[in-house]
Amino acid sequence: MWFSFPLVFAESCAFIGSVLFTFNLWKTQDEPRKPAPHLIDECVADDSPEAGSGRPISIDIFFPTYDEEPELVRLSIIDAQKVRYPHNIEMNIFILDDGKRPAMGALAKEMGVEYITRENNVGFKAGNLRNALEQTYGDFIVICDADTRPFPTILEHTMGYFRDPDVAWVQTPQWFFDLPEGERLPQWLNRKVGRVGKWMGRAVEKVYGPVTLGEDPYVNDPQMFYDVIQRRRNWVNASFCCGAGSIHRREAVMEAALRSYSEQISKEQSEVEKQIRKITKEKNVDQSVSDNLRQELIFDTEFTPYKFHVSEDIYTSIVLHSDSARNWRSVMHPNVESKMLSPQDLQTWTVQRFKYSGGSIDIFMNDNPIFRKGMTLKQKLMYGASFWSNLSAIWNIIFLACPIIYFLTSIAPVSAYDVTFYLHFIPFVLTAEMAMMVGTWGVAGYKGKTNFLSFFPVNLRALWTVLRGKKISFPTTPKERQSGTFGQLVIPQMAVFGLSLLSMLYAWGSYFLGGYGNYSLGGLVFNSFWTMNNMMAMWGMIAAAYWSPPPSETTQEEAGSEELKYGI
């Protein structure tokens, strides 16, 4: 039972995650595309002060930056200046430099764009955006990262959604243009052993299907997330903002921020007055004291249009979606409208994933939208699916440990690995996998699942950081490949891989040689397949730690120079 109960717990948690994920996949309902508006009164309600004004739309494009290279930002600005629109509108491009660098100011002057900086870095990216909002006036704001390369069509394809005055923001899918394409098995074997190898590779692919070596080792391809997960949240108005590549209605951001600001002050005032009543033993606080207290809180509390949080994008989405007085809507646009750089080494990947996971867990623990007023049940389930997945390390550790425990002790968590067990287990696994293939439109998912399993050390560290009350740090994600290898980052994965292999060899040896333990053939077969899946997951992360682009591949800096040279 000491073995069975943890496994039942892990299976139950995974089952809850499967139910939430299935609900997420349930329905695709894209927002109908509409023509791009020309005047602001085409995007506002009939009772709005702007209705009937006849004023052209104004749009600001923001590029927040901290320590990125000016040449990287230059390429992004060049593409932003190519953005077109079918009507005459006012469009301004801003470099928001939190690094206060003269070189970035010089770049802005050279490129003919606006430059905004500030004295401090309070709130990091969210604070940078707030500072820019205070100094600009565009009706709509396009949020980019320093490496975001917007397509010319980003506005003409998305602004039509804002004809609905309730649409607060539109998120577009992100696409990484620097993912290694890899090399097909026949070509790789041909290089290594000649024509015979090429024939062998073709024979393997005839049976197994296409095999590609050297493709993106970090599984950065975001197709599953944007094309499936985010897109299928449109029907319940729960697609959340992911930062770069999103277009925001300024009115929505400011209105939701004001409401959140008022709620925060009221909450803090209530807590302080509760302490005052406890000390004075009075039933009510004097009105003049209450008024003065509120004035002090207003003076001391930061007004934050974008929440000062490592996951400011999803936090702001929660604030807008829970604003029941206004019923703001979000739209996940189905087409890619920008490109950007992906993490090119395991250290960069780890920094990025730690921020994502830690930020989500922090929201789950401290401001859970499931308990927040204003959201519908369906919206809460969609957000719940996102947050639940970030707790997965808790039960994934059990799944990794179970076969190792069986191999080392011959103790099974189920009564028997007999025919009855397989008659239940095999149909379940096959139908679940086929259902997932249908449910995800055939988007490749195995690498994503193994990556999810091997992610457990980063996920655990993020969870432990939040549980200790520590803040998740705000380091910028490096845009260039960090030199060296990163074996120290995958020591936990190496340990799991080694223990899995050694314990499996030990158990099979004991079975055939009559050593310690009371193993069954069914148990050995089942746990061996389980272990091999775990080992493949760990191996992917271990290999990523030592991966480097082939010498013949063009580096990102060279690629950027070539694009600039040829105006691509």
Side-chain angles (χ1 to χ4, degrees):
M1 296 304 289
W2 62 266
F3 194 178
S4 297
F5 277 129
L7 183 58
V8 168
F9 167 77
E11 290 284 3
S12 300
C13 291
F15 179 72
I16 292 170
S18 296
V19 170
L20 291 171
F21 189 60
T22 302
F23 178 69
N24 193 155
L25 298 180
W26 196 252
K27 186 177 182 181
T28 303
Q29 184 174 302
D30 291 333
E31 186 78 8
R33 291 270 294 274
K34 299 175 183 176
H38 178 201
L39 306 175
I40 188 60
D41 46 323
E42 298 174 58
C43 305
V44 299
D46 293 337
D47 57 353
S48 168
E50 292 283 0
S53 65
R55 177 175 63 79
I57 291 170
S58 62
I59 300 174
D60 295 334
I61 303 179
F62 288 170
F63 286 94
T65 176
Y66 175 63
D67 58 3
E68 294 85 0
E69 290 293 329
E71 288 307 310
L72 177 67
V73 179
R74 179 193 297 274
L75 292 171
S76 300
I77 298 299
I78 288 173
D79 282 357
Q81 290 176 328
K82 296 176 183 177
V83 171
R84 61 177 182 258
Y85 200 76
H87 309 291
N88 290 324
I89 60 170
E90 182 181 356
M91 186 175 71
N92 295 293
I93 300 171
F94 295 85
I95 296 177
L96 314 181
D97 181 24
D98 251 7
K100 299 178 281 292
R101 293 161 291 171
M104 199 61 75
L107 173 66
K109 186 175 181 180
E110 176 192 340
M111 303 294 292
V113 300
E114 303 295 327
Y115 178 76
I116 297 177
T117 187
R118 55 183 178 148
E119 292 299 320
N120 55 56
N121 299 119
V122 173
F124 300 90
K125 182 180 177 181
N128 196 2
L129 292 172
R130 182 191 69 173
N131 180 61
L133 284 169
E134 292 172 350
Q135 302 180 53
T136 58
Y137 54 84
D139 302 306
F140 299 94
I141 303 152
V142 182
I143 304 295
C144 299
D145 283 342
D147 62 320
T148 303
R149 310 276 297 279
F151 293 171
T153 57
I154 187 170
L155 292 180
E156 62 179 323
H157 285 175
T158 59
M159 285 299 297
Y161 298 119
F162 290 105
R163 286 180 176 272
D164 181 345
D166 292 332
V167 171
W169 79 91
V170 175
Q171 178 67 54
T172 66
Q174 297 174 3
W175 174 56
F176 299 123
F177 65 91
D178 61 340
L179 295 180
E181 295 182 3
E183 187 176 17
R184 289 283 290 275
L185 182 62
Q187 284 70 42
W188 186 84
L189 287 173
N190 184 52
R191 283 196 302 105
K192 296 295 183 180
V193 297
R195 187 173 297 179
V196 175
K198 185 176 183 179
W199 292 341
M200 291 171 58
R202 286 178 175 173
V204 170
E205 290 196 335
K206 284 283 186 182
V207 177
Y208 182 80
V211 178
T212 305
L213 303 173
E215 59 184 341
D216 176 29
Y218 309 109
V219 197
N220 286 314
D221 188 347
Q223 186 181 13
M224 175 69 79
F225 178 70
Y226 286 106
D227 285 4
V228 179
I229 296 173
Q230 277 275 66
R231 187 174 176 185
R232 297 194 190 186
R233 296 185 176 198
N234 272 335
W235 70 283
V236 297
N237 184 30
S239 175
F240 59 82
C241 174
C242 303
S246 57
I247 303 94
H248 301 239
R249 186 190 296 266
R250 178 185 290 265
E251 175 196 357
V253 174
M254 300 304 290
E255 186 176 307
L258 285 167
R259 191 176 301 278
S260 178
Y261 179 69
S262 175
E263 289 174 357
Q264 182 181 349
I265 291 172
S266 297
K267 181 180 178 181
E268 291 181 9
Q269 181 179 6
S270 177
E271 290 175 354
V272 174
E273 288 185 357
K274 183 178 179 181
Q275 293 297 321
I276 293 173
R277 290 196 302 271
K278 187 176 181 180
I279 294 170
T280 62
K281 309 299 182 183
E282 296 287 339
K283 289 185 177 181
N284 297 300
V285 176
D286 185 79
Q287 187 61 45
S288 62
V289 173
S290 180
D291 291 342
N292 288 333
L293 174 61
R294 188 171 184 84
Q295 287 299 317
E296 287 185 19
L297 288 171
I298 290 172
F299 181 78
D300 292 337
T301 304
E302 290 271 14
F303 175 68
T304 54
Y306 289 96
K307 199 78 172 178
F308 286 4
H309 194 270
V310 68
S311 296
E312 84 285 338
D313 39 21
I314 190 171
Y315 217 138
T316 302
S317 302
I318 291 170
V319 170
L320 287 163
H321 276 147
S322 60
D323 186 357
S324 56
R326 188 59 181 80
N327 295 318
W328 290 112
R329 294 180 56 232
S330 61
V331 174
M332 181 67 212
H333 179 62
N335 304 119
V336 174
E337 298 292 349
S338 63
K339 59 183 180 180
M340 57 197 67
L341 297 174
S342 66
Q344 287 292 297
D345 60 83
L346 191 64
Q347 181 171 291
T348 301
W349 182 92
T350 301
V351 168
Q352 186 184 76
R353 292 306 190 274
F354 178 74
K355 289 197 297 182
Y356 292 166
S357 181
S360 296
I361 293 171
D362 182 70
I363 296 172
F364 180 84
M365 296 291 187
N366 299 312
D367 197 3
N368 198 321
I370 295 173
F371 305 111
R372 193 182 182 100
K373 294 181 180 179
M375 284 193 189
T376 65
L377 176 60
K378 292 176 181 178
Q379 286 177 315
K380 290 179 178 181
L381 287 173
M382 290 295 191
Y383 275 107
S386 296
F387 295 134
W388 190 256
S389 67
N390 282 286
L391 302 175
S392 61
I394 299 171
W395 50 92
N396 278 342
I397 285 180
I398 298 174
F399 290 139
L400 292 170
C402 278
I404 296 173
I405 294 172
Y406 173 77
F407 285 142
L408 292 178
T409 66
S410 75
I411 298 172
V414 296
S415 58
Y417 291 109
D418 55 10
V419 174
T420 303
F421 172 82
Y422 283 103
L423 285 176
H424 285 81
F425 180 77
I426 292 175
F428 163 73
V429 169
L430 292 177
T431 52
E433 287 299 317
M434 287 189 289
M436 194 60 64
M437 289 172 62
V438 173
T440 58
W441 287 338
V443 176
Y446 180 73
K447 284 189 176 181
K449 285 187 284 187
T450 56
N451 185 268
F452 180 70
L453 187 61
S454 63
F455 175 61
F456 76 94
V458 179
N459 202 181
L460 271 182
R461 186 160 63 90
L463 178 59
W464 180 238
T465 301
V466 175
L467 288 176
R468 287 185 299 153
K470 303 290 185 181
K471 286 191 175 182
I472 302 297
S473 58
F474 285 75
T476 56
T477 304
K479 305 302 181 185
E480 298 176 358
R481 176 175 170 77
Q482 307 300 295
S483 60
T485 56
F486 305 96
Q488 75 278 5
L489 297 178
V490 291
I491 291 174
Q493 289 90 340
M494 289 179 177
V496 171
F497 185 93
L499 279 171
S500 298
L501 178 60
L502 292 174
S503 62
M504 181 169 60
L505 294 175
Y506 169 79
W508 278 102
S510 296
Y511 178 76
F512 284 113
L513 300 176
Y516 169 82
N518 184 27
Y519 299 98
S520 68
L521 181 61
L524 287 171
V525 170
F526 175 80
N527 282 279
S528 292
F529 276 107
W530 189 353
T531 295
M532 286 188 284
N533 180 74
N534 292 346
M535 289 171 62
M536 288 174 66
M538 298 304 109
W539 179 253
M541 190 66 72
I542 294 167
Y546 295 93
W547 178 86
S548 60
S552 59
E553 287 191 10
T554 306
T555 65
Q556 290 177 12
E557 292 84 2
E558 290 169 345
S561 298
E562 289 299 304
E563 290 187 343
L564 183 58
K565 178 179 178 181
Y566 295 109
I568 296 175

